[in-house]
Amino acid sequence: MARERWFFAQGNQRRGPVPFSQLVQSVLAQPDPRAALVWRKGLPEWTRCENVPELERRLAPVLASQATEEAARPAPAPAPVASRPVSVEDAKPGSPALVYGGIAGGALVLVLLGWLFWPRPQPPAPRPVPLGGTTAEDAPAVVIPAPSPGPATPIPTPPPVTKTTTRPAAPAAAGLADHEAELPLAELRKLRSVWAWEGEELTGTVYNGTGWRVTELSVRIGRFVNEDFVEDPQPLLLVPPGAQVDAGVADLLSKVAPDRKKPGLNPLDTGAFEGRAGARPESFRAEIESARGYAPRQ
């Protein structure tokens, strides 16, 4: 029987191939082992560990044992509070310790009672949100009332291993240089990507963490052949969908609109790049070697 080769997701990176025993140890090291994503030949897509029967059977006893140990672990005992022994002189009636101690205790009780019963101002009631203005005075007559709570709509989780982030608005194209250039190495490292192979097309979802408008990527592909990854001799050129035009159209556009900028991925935004890479291998990896785009104006 052929030895199964497993892959797993760690953070936003794919790891593997590894044997089954090593896969179990790697998954147990993650914060939520049952939610970790794995894949092997025969699975239609990346799958949670709890949905893979042979993996769930190995994880369940270990996780149950860890939960039992956590429940049986005793809580740490509080540290003893050191107290000063009371001398006979301090306990005599009329001693300074008893007098000043009584005064301090009475003052503390008065402060506590005043804090408990002192009237506090009530917070102002929320005002309706004006439509088209900043306040209720400069808004039009139509006002949107606060929405009533309703049943939450479940959001399906997509198969790729991605992270959702809130991004600021991308800078306008007017703040970019007129001509394309190679991205410096420091800017190239700010590009983050997740790859998918459909038919003969390699598609990458790329987050542009730079100030550049990226127009094309050069990607080195490693294909899994005979128990190892073999890299392609030449990198693959990827562009945004619909950006590829033939030489005649490109020449005509350069004459009609010499200041036209190529389609690209704006700064601090996420978009797709694609290119024809041939038949899909059993497994692969891809790495961005270089990129071109428009630099921000200084």
Side-chain angles (χ1 to χ4, degrees):
M1 179 182 295
R3 180 166 58 92
E4 288 185 345
R5 296 183 292 273
W6 290 81
F7 298 83
F8 65 95
Q10 186 175 23
N12 201 26
Q13 300 292 327
R14 175 172 52 191
R15 307 294 184 188
V18 297
F20 184 75
S21 58
Q22 184 178 346
L23 173 71
V24 173
Q25 297 300 323
S26 301
V27 169
L28 286 172
Q30 299 198 29
D32 189 356
R34 283 193 169 96
L37 298 178
V38 298
W39 181 87
R40 62 166 170 77
K41 186 175 181 180
L43 293 178
E45 58 184 356
W46 288 88
T47 308
R48 293 166 63 98
C49 291
E50 62 185 358
N51 296 329
V52 181
E54 64 266 35
L55 191 53
E56 172 63 15
R57 285 195 296 269
R58 292 288 299 273
L59 295 179
V62 179
L63 295 177
S65 175
Q66 292 178 354
T68 303
E69 292 178 0
E70 289 291 335
R73 186 175 300 168
V81 180
S83 60
R84 184 177 67 85
V86 181
S87 63
V88 177
E89 295 297 329
D90 292 339
K92 290 182 178 180
S95 65
L98 291 178
V99 173
Y100 292 117
I103 294 174
L108 182 61
V109 171
L110 290 176
V111 171
L112 180 60
L113 291 176
W115 180 81
L116 289 175
F117 295 101
W118 191 268
R120 294 176 174 81
Q122 297 296 326
R127 304 180 67 183
V129 181
L131 177 64
T134 57
T135 65
E137 288 73 22
D138 64 354
V142 181
V143 176
I144 302 175
S148 59
T153 303
I155 301 175
T157 303
V161 184
T162 58
K163 294 183 179 180
T164 303
T165 56
T166 302
R167 306 175 183 86
L176 301 176
D178 295 330
H179 302 286
E180 287 182 288
E182 293 283 340
L183 267 71
L185 181 59
E187 298 296 317
L188 190 66
R189 292 173 178 170
K190 297 178 183 179
L191 300 177
R192 300 290 183 266
S193 59
V194 176
W195 304 101
W197 203 306
E198 300 178 0
E200 295 188 351
E201 294 285 335
L202 177 65
T203 303
T205 302
V206 180
Y207 169 65
N208 181 10
T210 74
W212 290 56
R213 181 178 181 181
V214 181
T215 58
E216 61 184 47
L217 304 174
S218 293
V219 177
R220 182 77 64 173
I221 302 176
R223 305 167 192 258
F224 194 71
V225 179
N226 296 330
E227 306 291 335
D228 198 5
F229 284 99
V230 179
E231 292 187 345
D232 290 354
Q234 297 295 332
L236 177 67
L237 180 64
L238 302 183
V239 295
Q244 189 73 35
V245 296
D246 57 33
V249 175
D251 182 62
L252 179 61
L253 289 174
S254 64
K255 294 177 180 179
V256 176
D259 297 331
R260 168 185 171 272
K261 287 183 169 56
K262 293 182 180 179
L265 180 60
N266 288 330
L268 305 178
D269 201 358
T270 299
F273 284 79
E274 63 182 15
R276 184 172 295 275
R280 188 188 191 283
E282 178 182 353
S283 183
F284 71 96
R285 63 188 180 190
E287 181 179 359
I288 300 175
E289 285 194 349
S290 62
R292 290 180 60 83
Y294 299 98
R297 291 186 186 273
Q298 301 297 330

